[in-house]
């Protein structure tokens, strides 16, 4: 088994658990961007959300909420950034789906999701909407 997060699930690699149930595990990020930075993974291996079986999606989403509640209770941040680096192009380094919970504090100097990228579509939003119609 080479996937590092599957090895954490299998307890071959230790972790600092924040929340655990039969479908998901949340643990402290080893290189935290903020105090209490946590990642939540499904116990089943899935590279991205697109690979996660529908049958696991609801349980994993609920685990994200449970982990968020736990971090909130323990760390008491002023807010959070919660998100996925989904795929290599988006910065995903570990190819096992994981949601980041990053506690945020007033005046911590960080940005919002909107600071991740600024590469607007050459198509106006009305044209993009037609692709979905
Ligand atoms: P990504 O860029 O894939 O979204 O982020 C992967 C995250 O997993 C990184 O923030 C990294 O610090 C964390 N990470 C990688 N390996 C380990 C590990 O062995 N243990 C823990 N707790 N976190 C890890
Ligand atoms: Zn895995």
């Amino acid at each position: 088994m080479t996937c590092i997060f599957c090895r954490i699930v299998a307890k071959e690699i230790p972790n600092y658990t924040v929340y655990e149930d039969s479908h998901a595990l949340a643990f402290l990020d080893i290189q935290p961007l903020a105090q209490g930075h946590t990642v939540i993974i499904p116990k089943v291996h899935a590279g991205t959300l697109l690979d996660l079986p529908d049958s696991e999606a609801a349980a994993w989403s609920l685990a994200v909420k449970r982990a968020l509640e736990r971090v909130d209770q323990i760390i008491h941040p002023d807010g959070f950034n919660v998100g996925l680096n989904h795929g290599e192009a988006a910065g995903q380094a570990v190819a096992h789906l994981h949601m980041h919970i990053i506690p945020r504090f007033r005046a911590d100097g960080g940005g919002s999701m909107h600071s991740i990228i600024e590469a607007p579509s050459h198509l106006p939003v009305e044209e993009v909407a037609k692709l979905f119609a």
Side-chain angles (χ1 to χ4, degrees), residues 5 29 31 33 37 39 47-48 83-98 100 102 116-117:
F5 284 178
D29 195 296
Q31 289 187 294
L33 298 174
H37 180 178
V39 291
T48 71
L84 300 170
N85 292 324
H86 196 274
E88 242 179 78
Q92 183 176 2
V94 176
H96 181 132
L97 173 64
H98 51 283
H100 289 266
I102 304 170
I116 292 174
I117 181 177

Side-chain angles (χ1 to χ4, degrees), residues 37-113:
H37 180 178
T38 295
V39 291
I40 305 104
I41 65 172
K43 287 189 171 177
V44 63
H45 181 84
T48 71
L49 190 52
L50 294 171
D51 305 310
L52 186 68
D54 283 2
S55 57
E56 292 292 323
W60 180 65
S61 301
L62 184 57
V64 170
K65 180 164 191 268
R66 292 286 175 263
L68 186 75
E69 289 165 349
R70 184 100 177 104
V71 178
D72 192 43
Q73 283 162 3
I74 303 294
I75 303 293
H76 303 296
D78 299 314
F80 293 98
N81 289 111
V82 181
L84 300 170
N85 292 324
H86 196 274
E88 242 179 78
Q92 183 176 2
V94 176
H96 181 132
L97 173 64
H98 51 283
M99 185 74 81
H100 289 266
I101 289 180
I102 304 170
R104 295 296 304 272
F105 302 88
R106 279 187 195 90
D108 63 11
S112 74
M113 292 266 184

Side-chain angles (χ1 to χ4, degrees), residues 22-34:
S22 54
H23 293 270
L25 177 67
F27 51 90
L28 293 178
D29 195 296
I30 204 76
Q31 289 187 294
L33 298 174

